[in-house]
Amino acid sequence: MIKILFVCTGNICRSPLAEGILREKLSRNDVTAHIDSCGFESFHVGDPPDIRAQKVALERGIDISLHRARLFTIRDFERFDYIYAMDSSHFNKIIGMARNETDKSKVDYMLNVLYPGQNRSVIDPWYHDLKAFDDVYRQLDEACELVVKKIIADFQLK
């Protein structure tokens, strides 16, 4: 079973949205996977996703309300095959914690799925209005669609 982790700052906006979107897309394609998300800032540990993230997801039929924020740990390198960072600060922190080249090889920017090698960031909607959450949702939805296609192709699932 493939295991994918999404990482952002507080694990209440971008990464739980990506987790929910990918989980839903994989389920629709009858692909079994372990999907999770986490963050680097401890001030939201144990909290549910931001209400705005929950709203934009629920409007599209995805319930992320049961998610609870947690921190990234070194153990995540062992638990996951792919680790997607939402921006350069997350990417650099993850790489900084990597123990070896195998750990590093699991890490990429989320938007490199859409824009290979460009290392673009998913904007942090936390400081913005609901429209920013909608924009982030659309961006993550597009990227997750390609992740699903890659998984299906790489693992010859269909």
Side-chain angles (χ1 to χ4, degrees), residues 10-35:
N11 191 214
I12 60 165
C13 296
R14 294 170 284 182
S15 59
L17 275 173
E19 176 187 350
I21 292 166
L22 186 61
R23 183 174 285 124
E24 176 67 22
K25 288 181 179 298
L26 290 171
S27 176
R28 275 191 253 139
N29 283 279
D30 296 319
V31 175
T32 303
H34 176 70
I35 312 300

Side-chain angles (χ1 to χ4, degrees), residues 5-11 15-16 19 36-40 67 69-73 76:
L5 180 67
F6 297 102
V7 184
C8 71
T9 304
N11 191 214
S15 59
E19 176 187 350
D36 196 6
S37 64
C38 62
F40 275 106
H67 170 79
R70 73 170 184 87
L71 294 176
F72 181 85
T73 69
D76 287 322

Side-chain angles (χ1 to χ4, degrees), residues 34-100:
H34 176 70
I35 312 300
D36 196 6
S37 64
C38 62
F40 275 106
E41 298 296 333
S42 62
F43 46 82
H44 288 295
V45 168
D47 289 351
D50 183 284
I51 195 71
R52 297 166 293 178
Q54 290 186 53
K55 179 177 174 32
V56 299
L58 201 53
E59 286 173 351
R60 291 154 176 95
I62 300 171
D63 183 0
I64 61 171
S65 65
L66 296 178
H67 170 79
R68 293 298 177 262
R70 73 170 184 87
L71 294 176
F72 181 85
T73 69
I74 287 179
R75 187 164 178 259
D76 287 322
F77 288 113
E78 297 162 16
R79 295 177 54 219
F80 294 94
D81 304 306
Y82 298 97
I83 301 172
Y84 289 109
M86 296 295 152
D87 67 29
S88 60
S89 71
H90 311 131
F91 181 86
N92 291 333
K93 286 176 184 175
I94 298 166
I95 293 296
M97 292 175 72
R99 301 161 297 181
N100 52 48

